[in-house]
Amino acid sequence: MTRYSSLFVSSHGWQPLVLTGLLALGLVTASCQKEEFDDHYTLQDDAGFGSVSTIGGSLATKYAPGETVPVIVAFNQADNLKDITVFQVINKLDSMVVGTYSANGQYQSTPQLYTQIVPYTVPGTLANKTPVRVDVTLNFADGSKRLRRFTYTAANSPTLKFGTTPVTYRNGLSATQQSSGDVLGYSILLNEGGIATVPTAGSTATLFKNVDSLTYFVRSGTDAPKRLGVVRGPSAGAATTVTVNAPVPANSNGQTLTYSFVAYAQNTSTSLTAAPINIVGPTSFATALKTGRVVFGAGAPADSVAFNLKTALNEPNNGPTANKDLYVSGISTTSFTLAAANTTRYYKLTPAQVASGLYTSATANAIGLLLFQNTTSADLGIVAVNDVYAVRVRGTGEMMLLRVTGIKSSSAGSTGRVKFEYRTL
């Protein structure tokens, strides 16, 4: 017997449309007579509550063939959920029920709902860029239903490969001179030739899943890998080149390190491993110091204005600009300004760095990394005695440390002079 009430909305989905007319006709009664009320009721959606999501939040718009998606169904226990049916439609043509699961959710205190994981597996034969619709139907004991739907497009899991130059040694030294505390810059191409979304006009390019994170690890010898860091959301699916600056951990000298990278995309991941690298002790600067000077003024010899740090000689006035690592670019009665005419770059050490003995004790590894981490300039600025500069020579990995040892001002047409010493590898 179907239950009705003309005074309130029924929990089974029937409600009066013409209550006033029924009262006038004297038809309000506690009895249940379907034949008398058919023309005065319409079916309403009064099914129980239901929602779908996945671990970590909302369901994605791209999944890979063969990927298992943990669909989380949430419902109220009081609604008496009987079972859950999962139905899929592939490319608007191929449709089928892919699973029916009895209700057996667990109570979650924070949302105050019951949740149940329903495993949905993406068909392994889906062609790239195929659209799919998934209907998750909650079937309740009273016969009512609640439909929740999500759609996705078949996309490939991410791909990883190293760039043309897989690794750059940030200290400027060679692969055989890397030490504890150094930094290795790995160039990684994600989703080569890929796209993030399918254009309206279509595309022959490969559609890739979003890359949630690119995590990098290091393993010493045969030890378990240790996580070093993570790049969040490096690609929405399109081809992207990412540079990862991976540190060499402390106390690694004498060990063989292997760096690896893992791209995570929802429930899938792809890994890439670099060639092992042997970590050695730091490289020292040469003990012997080289010296030089540059001059300026009305009577100064033209061939003594610039200096070549490679030959440790003054560069002739008509010599190539590329060889002029240091010259006097400005002068007053009390000061000199030095600069580089070529691609040699300088970083002025702070007073604290000088006081710590960096000029006398620093290794080439430390100075190379200092140059990488700090802004360098072709202009040394106004110099003073005991100023110390880290030098990267002509855009190469060659580095030096230079200290100003003396200054003679120029006045009344006399020749001014800046003297310096420097340490090389």
Side-chain angles (χ1 to χ4, degrees), residues 206-229:
T206 302
L207 178 69
F208 283 98
K209 298 175 59 176
N210 293 26
V211 181
D212 302 320
S213 64
L214 177 65
T215 305
Y216 46 105
F217 304 81
V218 65
R219 185 181 77 244
S220 176
T222 58
D223 293 347
K226 295 181 180 179
R227 194 177 89 153
L228 292 176

Side-chain angles (χ1 to χ4, degrees), residues 309 326 338 346 359 380 387-391 400-404 420-423:
L309 290 174
L326 197 65
L338 299 184
Y346 295 85
Y359 175 65
L380 283 72
D387 282 351
V388 177
Y389 297 85
V391 188
M400 299 177 180
L401 277 171
L402 182 146
R403 183 173 74 92
V404 177
F420 51 86
E421 65 181 21
Y422 60 103
R423 307 178 66 197

Side-chain angles (χ1 to χ4, degrees), residues 54-55 58-64 67-69 155-156 158 208-213 263-269:
T54 191
I55 296 173
S58 302
L59 289 151
T61 59
K62 294 180 284 187
Y63 287 108
E67 179 177 359
T68 297
V69 183
N156 284 16
F208 283 98
K209 298 175 59 176
N210 293 26
V211 181
D212 302 320
S213 64
Y264 295 97
Q266 288 89 47
N267 309 298
T268 63
S269 64

Side-chain angles (χ1 to χ4, degrees), residues 1 41 51 69 88 127 134 143 151 209 236 257 260 312 397 399 404:
M1 176 176 65
Y41 289 81
S51 69
V69 183
Q88 75 177 9
V134 178
T151 60
K209 298 175 59 176
L257 301 184
S260 59
M399 68 206 70
V404 177

